[in-house]
Amino acid sequence: MGGSDSAGRLVRPFTLTGGRTRPSRADFTLITTVTAVDPQPAGGPRPQPEHLRILRLCAEPVAVAEIAARLDLPVSVVVIMLCDLLEAGRITAHPPHPVTRNTPDLDLLQKVREGLGRL
């Protein structure tokens, strides 16, 4: 390899995390929704270029998996960088709503069945 991968990236993913291989928190799953804080905090160290890319993507709520796909980075790397941004107060993370195993709404199912019957 000549220093870059097929996407033209010059920096290896592990360098983006400072060599870290594990996130500092367990706040993120693939479907956790992330949003940039507006306005951004004034203090703290200047974010890396990849952090800034994440912040731009998170102007509107976006899932962790979507961020990783758009940046073409491994999810594990993105999660470590998201932990940095969360700890710096630059993003908020919203976990997915828990799914309950209650009895399905029979009225709703009946309406769906009736609707399908009309097709």
Side-chain angles (χ1 to χ4, degrees):
M1 263 186 172
S4 67
D5 64 14
S6 61
R9 188 179 306 116
L10 297 174
V11 178
R12 299 267 184 205
F14 67 85
T15 60
L16 298 174
T17 65
R20 294 171 291 162
T21 59
R22 296 180 198 264
S24 59
R25 313 169 62 109
D27 295 271
F28 299 99
T29 67
L30 289 175
I31 58 176
T32 299
T33 305
V34 180
T35 309
V37 172
D38 186 29
Q40 285 286 301
R46 180 182 163 104
Q48 297 177 22
E50 293 296 330
H51 286 115
L52 293 173
R53 288 181 64 200
I54 290 173
L55 290 171
R56 281 192 295 275
L57 289 173
C58 297
E60 298 290 326
V62 62
V64 171
E66 182 71 18
I67 296 168
R70 288 187 185 181
L71 294 178
D72 192 28
L73 287 172
V75 172
S76 58
V77 171
V78 170
V79 167
I80 291 169
M81 292 173 26
L82 288 171
C83 288
D84 295 343
L85 291 170
L86 185 64
E87 290 168 359
R90 296 186 177 275
I91 61 169
T92 58
H94 304 282
H97 296 289
V99 177
T100 59
R101 293 223 164 227
N102 295 337
T103 307
D105 184 349
L106 295 178
D107 291 333
L108 176 62
L109 292 175
Q110 182 65 30
K111 289 176 183 177
V112 170
R113 189 180 106 186
E114 290 169 3
L116 290 174
R118 291 185 205 135
L119 296 176

